[in-house]
């Protein structure tokens, strides 16, 4: 039986999120909301907890305390009374179907063409017919500017092209939410623009996105909100142009002075 449709509210809501790796306190109390249709960009130095938080949103990392909801549903847990009970892996996997994620590395199947990579999850995970998925996957590859690379294998594609296939692959599951973990950091500089253009169009189309990025221009132009993290906490957040041009906190000022 499918879960009931969530009531209106934020697409992502995090309350008091803590995460430890041994003694390392990676997330030290994250409170955050992302509205439906919002593009939130997350910036900060390496080791600040940005990518870990992103991976907690779809339960690739388990939180140690706090609560995290996507579209009104607790992620990874069921609540009975005051207690949280961890979901079975099959239930977590079902939740992840609504959350697309694009990593720094493209993680494409090397033995599959671009089209086959995009088709794989809807056919294998959702059991959709190959004919229906092929049509949608073809349209998605056209959408990301790769109509001429449908039959190409990953080894025949540039890094930027592989990342655009990875974006199309995530979109093939028709997610409610897209998470991007520094999607351009592994690319040569001249290939970054094509990937950012695809992300800009997704934002214009109304996709809810959380983007961990070092691309300050993208954050300024496309982001609806900007979060600066350091030491596992949110130091500052607000409208991107305001935070980037007039940061209020010393840590934000120090960081931006090195990257802008």
């Amino acid at each position: 039986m499918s879960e009931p449709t969530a009531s209106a509210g934020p697409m992502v809501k995090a309350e008091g999120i803590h995460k430890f790796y041994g003694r390392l306190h990676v997330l030290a109390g994250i409170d955050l909301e992302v509205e439906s249709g919002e593009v939130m960009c997350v910036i900060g130095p390496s080791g600040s907890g940005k990518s870990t938080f992103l991976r907690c949103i779809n339960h690739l990392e388990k939180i140690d305390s706090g609560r995290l909801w996507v579209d009104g549903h607790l992620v990874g847990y069921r609540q009975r009374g005051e207690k949280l009970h961890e979901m079975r892996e099959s239930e977590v996997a079902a939740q992840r179907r609504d959350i697309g994620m694009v990593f720094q590395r493209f993680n494409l199947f090397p033995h599959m063409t671009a089209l086959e990579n995009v088709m794989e999850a809807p056919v294998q995970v959702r059991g959709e017919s190959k004919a229906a998925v092929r049509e949608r996957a073809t349209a998605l590859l056209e959408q990301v500017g790769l109509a001429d690379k449908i039959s190409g294998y990953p080894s025949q594609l540039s890094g930027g092209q592989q990342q655009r296939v990875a974006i199309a692959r995530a979109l093939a599951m028709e997610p409610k939410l897209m998470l991007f973990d520094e999607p351009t950091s592994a690319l040569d500089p001249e290939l970054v623009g094509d990937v950012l253009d695809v992300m800009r169009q997704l934002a214009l189309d109304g996709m809810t996105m959380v983007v961990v990025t070092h691309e300050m221009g993208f954050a300024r132009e496309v982001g609806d909100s900007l979060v600066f993290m350091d030491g596992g906490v949110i130091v500052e957040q607000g409208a991107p142009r305001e935070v980037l041009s007039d940061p209020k906190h010393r840590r934000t000022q120090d960081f931006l002075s090195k990257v802008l």
Side-chain angles (χ1 to χ4, degrees), residues 16 62 97 112 115 159 161 169 180 225 229 232 237 255-256:
K62 297 177 183 179
R97 294 176 196 175
M112 294 183 180
L115 183 65
Q161 289 168 338
R169 179 180 59 184
F180 292 88
S225 58
M229 287 182 64
Q237 67 183 105
F255 174 77
L256 291 175

Side-chain angles (χ1 to χ4, degrees), residues 62-237:
K62 297 177 183 179
I63 61 176
D64 291 308
S65 64
R67 283 170 170 73
L68 212 161
W69 293 264
V70 170
D71 199 23
H73 301 298
L74 267 177
V75 174
Y77 300 91
R78 296 191 186 283
Q79 184 164 346
R80 297 190 184 107
E82 292 300 310
K83 291 189 176 181
L84 292 182
H85 300 268
E86 192 163 351
M87 287 181 172
R88 295 191 298 271
E89 184 55 39
S90 61
E91 295 174 304
V92 175
Q95 286 189 324
R96 287 197 191 111
R97 294 176 196 175
D98 291 330
I99 306 171
M101 187 156 186
V102 178
F103 300 88
Q104 295 178 38
R105 297 290 172 182
F106 327 120
N107 299 325
L108 300 179
F109 294 114
H111 62 289
M112 294 183 180
T113 65
L115 183 65
E116 289 167 342
N117 265 282
V118 177
M119 290 177 61
E120 179 72 1
V123 171
Q124 297 299 328
V125 177
R126 294 212 307 209
E128 296 184 56
S129 74
K130 284 190 175 182
V133 174
R134 181 176 287 107
E135 186 175 337
R136 186 163 83 241
T138 301
L140 284 168
L141 287 168
E142 290 173 357
Q143 181 180 324
V144 299
L146 294 174
D148 59 336
K149 302 294 183 182
I150 282 175
S151 300
Y153 288 89
S155 62
Q156 299 169 319
L157 305 177
S158 71
Q161 289 168 338
Q162 289 185 63
Q163 191 62 296
R164 283 184 280 157
V165 173
I167 293 172
R169 179 180 59 184
L171 292 173
M173 291 292 282
E174 301 177 308
K176 303 173 182 176
L177 169 68
M178 284 285 285
L179 308 175
F180 292 88
D181 188 8
E182 298 186 22
T184 59
S185 65
L187 302 179
D188 292 334
E190 67 269 22
L191 303 176
V192 167
D194 290 338
V195 173
L196 293 181
D197 285 345
V198 170
M199 295 170 64
R200 282 190 186 92
Q201 189 57 53
L202 281 179
L204 289 172
D205 293 341
M207 176 62 75
T208 310
M209 298 160 60
V210 183
V211 184
V212 172
T213 185
H214 293 298
E215 301 292 339
M216 300 300 162
F218 176 86
R220 181 185 287 109
E221 297 162 28
V222 182
D224 297 304
S225 58
L226 183 67
V227 168
F228 171 67
M229 287 182 64
D230 193 19
V233 300
I234 294 173
V235 176
E236 187 164 354
Q237 67 183 105

